[in-house]
Amino acid sequence: MDLELTADEKKFRDELRDVFHNDVPADIRRRCLDGRTTRDDLVTSMRILNGHGLAVPEWPVKFGGQDWSEVQRFLYASELQRASVPQPLAFNASMVGPVLCEFGSPAQQQRFLSATANLDIWWSQGFSEPEAGSDLASLKTTARRDGDEWVIDGSKTWTTLGQYGDWMFLLARTDPQAPKRQMGISFFLLDMDTPGLQRRPIVLIDGEPEVNEFFFDGVRIPAENLVGQENQGWTYAKFLLGNERNTIARIGTSQSYFEAVAAMADRVDIGGAPLSQDPEFRARLYDIKLRLLALEATQMRVTGASADGKPSLVSSLLKLEGTKVLQELSSLRMEVAGSDAGLVGQHDGPDLSTTDFANLAALQYLNLRKVSIFGGTNEIQRRVIALNILGLKGTR
């Protein structure tokens, strides 16, 4: 593959950099790099991007997307992350939005897509359940048709940032008698102010209530909130998850983390020499750099490769290797922070006797334990790769 950019591609890249560095406020980008992006940061940055036609570029042009080449798509994702601009809210931009573009009714598209691109609606994802996380097909939440409404009962868990949600897209079982678990599941849209829906926050290991549980007790939604055809929700979910795994890799983010870790390692003295000169540390750091180059080339091949509702199978490889690199970089950052990394406090707390770098290193390390689990665990991705890419039959 020729990874050299043409003159037009370099011009395109420089135009992106101009928007990302000059139009998105520096304080928002600083918090993003530190892993402290707020709700307001996400809303502000996504609306700025949307004003430039850059919030949902992978959508069809008629719905506000861009007719970009694969190289342009790759450059967008890479430069956005390397500039530490908050990623457009994935639930909107790369999950429910593409599903509605592909499978939604004209009325749903008209009602939701513009507001979704501008983050006027904050979407939450209602997929995982107790005992139905990676094995999503075993979900038990049900939807029963009652006249012009659907009645939903059950629960969802690990709903990331669900405390901010205005609407939820969710999967529910509409045919309990279907011969296969993947059949008889439908895809719905739910106004989160609907009576009968209750939320319970879950505090993670880093002390933040980032995820939530939701409980549905006779929640009634209009029949027109069914997306596509009844009992075809599994097809739409596979399409959505393929898009999600491409973005979870966060290769540009890893490149930014790499640069920050390498720069700090130059400043940390170990036995009279910078930590960056320690042979073992240097070998680990540059092993990651080589893997990032390989991931970058792979992402260039598959960015925008979803077509006809069928995501690229290589998205599983990107998710697996991309999240491993993120976690390894967080381990290296902990090593650079040294003993100070053990002093975990609330973000930049005034009573914390350690550097911001060290404090944020510990918080980032703890928070990134999740990335090998959500979006389909890495164990599940290995099985997908074995069966569908390597062609290994009978893998258990």
Side-chain angles (χ1 to χ4, degrees), residues 313-368:
L313 293 172
V314 183
S315 63
S316 290
L317 178 62
L318 282 173
K319 195 275 177 182
L320 172 65
E321 291 301 321
T323 55
K324 286 169 60 179
V325 165
L326 270 172
Q327 290 181 334
E328 289 174 30
L329 276 169
S330 73
S331 296
L332 282 180
R333 185 170 178 173
M334 287 282 284
E335 185 170 332
V336 173
S339 59
D340 284 344
L343 301 174
V344 180
Q346 299 302 313
H347 307 290
D348 304 309
D351 59 339
L352 193 65
S353 58
T354 185
T355 66
D356 289 349
F357 180 89
N359 182 31
L360 292 168
L363 293 169
Q364 182 187 77
Y365 175 86
L366 293 171
N367 186 268
L368 287 176

